[in-house]
Amino acid sequence: MSTPVRLDKYLADMGIGTRSEVKTYIRKGRVKINGIIVKEPDIKINTISSEVYFDNEPIVYETVEYYMLNKPAGVVSATVDNHCETVVELIKSGRNKDLFPVGRLDKDTEGLLLITNDGDLAHRLLSPKKHVPKVYYARIKGMVTKEDVETFRSGIQLDEDFITLPARLDILEAGDISDIKVTIYEGKFHQVKRMFEAVSKEVLYLKRLSMGELYLDESLAPGEYRKLTEYELNKLKGNE
């Protein structure tokens, strides 16, 4: 069921401009509803059934947004920060002011990050009870061995009161610098880095590839983003 919304609020909410700016646009005849030019900013419209056009481009009313971001290094996983650029600030097309990152990646970590304003979905993905898998690619200083694979599979004690769930460690290339993939089921602070420190190795580069059923679109360069597809969203919500 849709609650009627003032036309100027509708357009402002969808990022067309400020309330005062969109009032000017409306009065200049740049807005159509169901094919008819409307010049009254205070007219009430149905957000579901009304077809709204601005400069002949359709404007669909969205209250919930979902973006896949390929997080670059040097950007912090936060909504605001006094010193560094945040992941939310990268989402230039975001229309809602309440977007936030689902979970966090370290400042120097790259890769998949979901940006949304859907608190329920975020809670489901981050709940410790759900054990949502997260897959990372990493470059490791030191030879990663089969013994490390077994150690990760057994769980690693990181704190006095925390032992990781069994993690999957796949060795892609072993050497003085090793390439690996690792799948973990929690999201503790610096967890992957701390797990390798526990086996006397150092993470040189870290990139998240997937979170649950959401996989990084490799066509996105670091810092680029796009909206989730309907298929991706349904998979993420468990509707597929």
Side-chain angles (χ1 to χ4, degrees), residues 24-40:
T24 300
Y25 301 153
I26 294 166
R27 292 185 179 114
K28 288 183 176 181
R30 297 173 66 181
V31 178
K32 292 181 181 179
I33 300 177
N34 300 329
I36 300 172
I37 293 175
V38 175
K39 295 187 176 183
E40 296 80 29

Side-chain angles (χ1 to χ4, degrees), residues 6-238:
R6 280 177 54 122
L7 179 58
D8 55 352
K9 182 181 187 318
Y10 180 111
L11 294 172
D13 285 349
M14 293 302 98
I16 301 302
T18 64
R19 287 286 282 271
S20 60
E21 287 172 339
V22 298
K23 286 178 181 178
T24 300
Y25 301 153
I26 294 166
R27 292 185 179 114
K28 288 183 176 181
R30 297 173 66 181
V31 178
K32 292 181 181 179
I33 300 177
N34 300 329
I36 300 172
I37 293 175
V38 175
K39 295 187 176 183
E40 296 80 29
D42 59 349
I43 190 173
K44 296 287 185 72
I45 60 174
N46 185 300
T47 57
I48 296 176
S49 62
S50 297
E51 295 182 357
V52 180
Y53 287 79
F54 174 69
D55 288 346
N56 294 318
E57 292 292 329
I59 306 298
V60 180
Y61 197 75
E62 298 175 311
T63 57
V64 184
E65 297 178 84
Y66 305 90
Y67 296 95
M68 174 191 297
L69 170 70
N70 186 355
K71 178 192 172 298
V75 179
V76 297
S77 298
T79 54
V80 293
D81 189 276
N82 292 329
H83 305 289
C84 300
E85 187 175 25
T86 72
V87 292
V88 170
E89 290 170 339
L90 295 176
I91 311 297
K92 305 301 183 184
S93 61
R95 291 167 171 172
N96 290 285
K97 297 178 180 179
D98 52 353
L99 292 172
F100 60 86
V102 178
R104 67 183 307 278
L105 293 177
D106 298 334
K107 184 178 179 180
D108 58 350
T109 299
E110 299 181 3
L112 176 68
L113 195 59
L114 174 62
I115 310 292
T116 185
N117 57 341
D118 186 339
D120 290 337
L121 178 61
H123 176 74
R124 291 200 299 273
L125 292 173
L126 298 176
S127 171
K129 297 179 181 178
K130 296 294 185 180
H131 304 314
V132 174
K134 304 167 188 69
V135 180
Y136 294 81
Y137 163 79
R139 303 205 78 197
I140 307 298
K141 184 177 182 180
M143 176 79 74
V144 178
T145 65
K146 292 182 179 179
E147 288 75 16
D148 296 329
V149 173
E150 290 302 319
T151 300
F152 273 57
R153 184 179 294 141
S154 300
I156 297 176
Q157 185 152 2
L158 298 183
D159 295 317
E160 287 185 11
D161 57 351
F162 177 67
I163 300 175
T164 67
L165 291 169
R168 175 172 176 169
L169 176 58
D170 295 305
I171 302 173
L172 305 178
E173 185 173 341
D176 292 338
I177 304 295
S178 299
D179 292 353
I180 64 92
K181 277 187 181 180
V182 61
T183 304
I184 62 174
Y185 297 87
E186 308 97 346
K188 295 292 184 179
F189 184 67
H190 291 325
Q191 181 169 333
V192 174
K193 295 176 182 177
R194 292 164 65 198
M195 291 173 75
F196 278 99
E197 286 173 1
V199 293
S200 302
K201 294 177 178 67
E202 179 186 354
V203 174
L204 300 176
Y205 173 81
L206 188 61
K207 178 180 180 179
R208 183 155 69 189
L209 304 178
S210 66
M211 180 180 185
E213 294 294 329
L214 186 63
Y215 296 85
L216 178 65
D217 183 341
E218 292 292 350
S219 70
L220 294 175
E224 291 184 341
Y225 64 93
R226 64 165 172 78
K227 287 188 175 183
L228 294 196
T229 65
E230 185 175 351
Y231 175 78
E232 288 169 334
L233 188 55
N234 284 332
K235 290 281 286 185
L236 203 57
K237 291 183 174 183

